[in-house]
Amino acid sequence: MNSLGVGSDPTMPKLTQTYWEKYDLLYKNYSKKTIFKRLLKECRKLGKPYTKQDNRGRKPKFKPITYAAFLALQKIFRHRYREMELEATLYMPDKADHSTFARNYAKIPQQYIEQLIANLVDKQFIYWIADSTCISTKIRVERTVQGIRNKVKLCDKYHIVIGYDPTTHSTFILGAKASDEHVSDSEGAMQIINGKQSTAYFLGDSAYNTYDLHEAVKEAGMFAQMKPDNKGIRKTMSAKARQTKLFSKKIYKELRGVVETVFGGATNAGLMLTYAKNEHTRRLDTLMLAVRHNLMASMRSLLIVFVRQTR
């Protein structure tokens, strides 16, 4: 065997790789075009995001699945519709007008993007952490407070449940919801974990310490580690009463802050603001933050392996 790790038999595979071979592997797996191919593959698994309502009007220029994958790619890079028009020919067989992308983006259901987020996660986690934050907008609405009418900026809420792996320090968003500011933190978490099963620890601050969420966590097979509040426990036979006795301050203190790195990364990139006026479009823009995070987390996981192998 020579110094390059290749045996005398030319048909034998390489046992080691050079630095640039590993660099090339990372680049090919996560170039912009490769990300588009992955999004297209996941969208094909999910099927058509929408169908044509009737036979009136002209046929769509591209398939709905192609529109969904391309729009997801462009949105995670925060490109505007004019920029999408310029880049369309790089990923699709023909160009399209920016208004075409705007119309097709508005047709994509929220549930479709929520399922896309979940499909981008390919591993299991022993720690689930819930949190939410505010997404700022440029829209001002009238609000009356103590008899005084003022215009205040409208805010949307971004609910997430992340999975955390302490060995690699990686975080993936297991589920996300976008809502108005009137949906509580616990209600958003319940919508995300509905129908899911796991044996993980479920962490959340005192806003998640509700009777309904404790029951939902129990039904999902998880172990609740929500921070106790000062309200006391009225239902002594409830899941909340039992889980509060098993609350570990050490686990909560060590892991609860991990979820803030997800919001911190988006804030530093200037992504916690949407300029969209349409409510449905704002919800989709919010969910695209989770798609972006999971793709970046996949890249980071591969990069960790790449760095460790080059040491």
Side-chain angles (χ1 to χ4, degrees):
M1 186 176 292
N2 59 24
S3 59
L4 294 177
V6 182
S8 56
D9 186 354
T11 61
M12 291 180 62
K14 286 187 177 182
L15 299 179
T16 60
Q17 289 179 307
T18 64
Y19 173 87
W20 290 111
E21 285 174 333
K22 293 172 183 175
Y23 180 89
D24 187 58
L25 176 67
L26 179 66
Y27 179 78
K28 285 180 178 177
N29 282 330
Y30 286 98
S31 67
K32 203 171 178 182
K33 196 155 240 180
T34 308
I35 293 174
F36 172 70
K37 289 179 180 178
R38 183 177 180 189
L39 288 170
L40 188 60
K41 180 181 177 181
E42 296 297 337
C43 288
R44 282 172 179 160
K45 290 180 183 177
L46 292 173
K48 293 181 181 180
Y50 53 87
T51 56
K52 200 168 183 294
Q53 297 292 335
D54 50 45
N55 294 324
R56 292 180 296 178
R58 59 185 177 183
K59 294 182 179 179
K61 198 164 191 178
F62 306 111
K63 294 179 180 179
I65 291 174
T66 306
Y67 275 120
F70 178 73
L71 287 164
L73 175 74
Q74 297 295 307
K75 282 292 183 176
I76 63 178
F77 285 99
R78 309 301 282 185
H79 288 173
R80 297 177 182 271
Y81 296 117
R82 293 279 185 182
E83 296 169 307
M84 295 181 193
E85 182 179 345
L86 297 174
E87 289 201 1
T89 53
L90 298 175
Y91 304 94
M92 296 189 288
D94 199 0
K95 63 181 180 180
D97 188 71
H98 63 275
S99 61
T100 303
F101 293 123
R103 286 196 305 271
N104 283 275
Y105 186 58
K107 294 178 184 178
I108 301 175
Q110 283 183 238
Q111 294 78 9
Y112 190 85
I113 303 301
E114 290 168 2
Q115 190 58 50
L116 176 62
I117 294 165
N119 287 3
L120 290 172
V121 182
D122 56 359
K123 58 191 299 186
Q124 300 293 324
F125 296 91
I126 60 172
Y127 297 109
W128 291 27
I129 310 173
D131 203 3
S132 68
T133 191
C134 174
I135 302 294
S136 302
T137 70
K138 292 291 184 180
I139 304 171
R140 290 185 175 272
V141 293
E142 285 190 354
R143 294 285 163 81
T144 303
V145 180
Q146 295 182 350
I148 301 175
R149 181 177 295 178
N150 289 318
K151 280 193 173 183
V152 297
K153 283 189 177 180
L154 182 67
C155 289
D156 293 333
K157 286 189 78 171
Y158 176 36
H159 307 267
I160 62 171
V161 173
I162 70 164
Y164 175 61
D165 183 2
T167 56
T168 59
H169 301 287
S170 59
T171 58
F172 281 81
I173 296 178
L174 306 178
K177 286 284 182 182
S179 69
D180 58 30
E181 58 186 338
H182 301 296
V183 177
S184 66
D185 292 356
S186 61
E187 178 61 30
M190 287 173 59
Q191 293 177 16
I192 293 172
I193 68 173
N194 182 32
K196 291 182 170 59
Q197 288 292 320
S198 176
T199 56
Y201 290 95
F202 188 91
L203 286 79
D205 58 29
S206 56
Y208 294 91
N209 192 36
T210 63
Y211 293 98
D212 291 338
L213 182 55
H214 271 280
E215 290 292 341
V217 170
K218 178 187 173 183
E219 290 177 5
M222 291 183 281
F223 303 94
Q225 287 292 303
M226 269 82 86
K227 183 180 179 182
D229 50 36
N230 298 323
K231 298 178 182 179
I233 297 173
R234 294 178 287 102
K235 302 176 183 179
T236 56
M237 301 298 292
S238 63
K240 177 180 177 180
R242 292 191 297 271
Q243 294 298 332
T244 301
K245 294 178 182 178
L246 301 175
F247 175 73
S248 172
K249 191 175 181 180
K250 181 180 179 181
I251 293 177
Y252 178 84
K253 187 176 180 181
E254 289 180 355
L255 300 176
R256 170 60 183 80
V258 172
V259 69
E260 299 298 340
T261 60
V262 177
F263 298 140
T267 302
N268 292 340
L271 304 177
M272 304 300 281
L273 170 68
T274 176
Y275 293 94
K277 295 181 180 180
N278 181 270
E279 181 179 314
H280 179 66
T281 306
R282 294 202 312 270
R283 302 285 189 269
L284 293 180
D285 286 349
T286 301
L287 292 174
M288 288 300 174
L289 295 177
V291 176
R292 175 186 180 274
H293 177 86
N294 282 353
L295 288 170
M296 294 284 287
S298 298
M299 187 189 304
R300 198 175 297 113
S301 298
L302 185 62
L303 183 61
I304 290 172
V305 175
F306 168 64
V307 171
R308 286 176 178 174
Q309 289 178 348
T310 53
R311 286 178 178 175

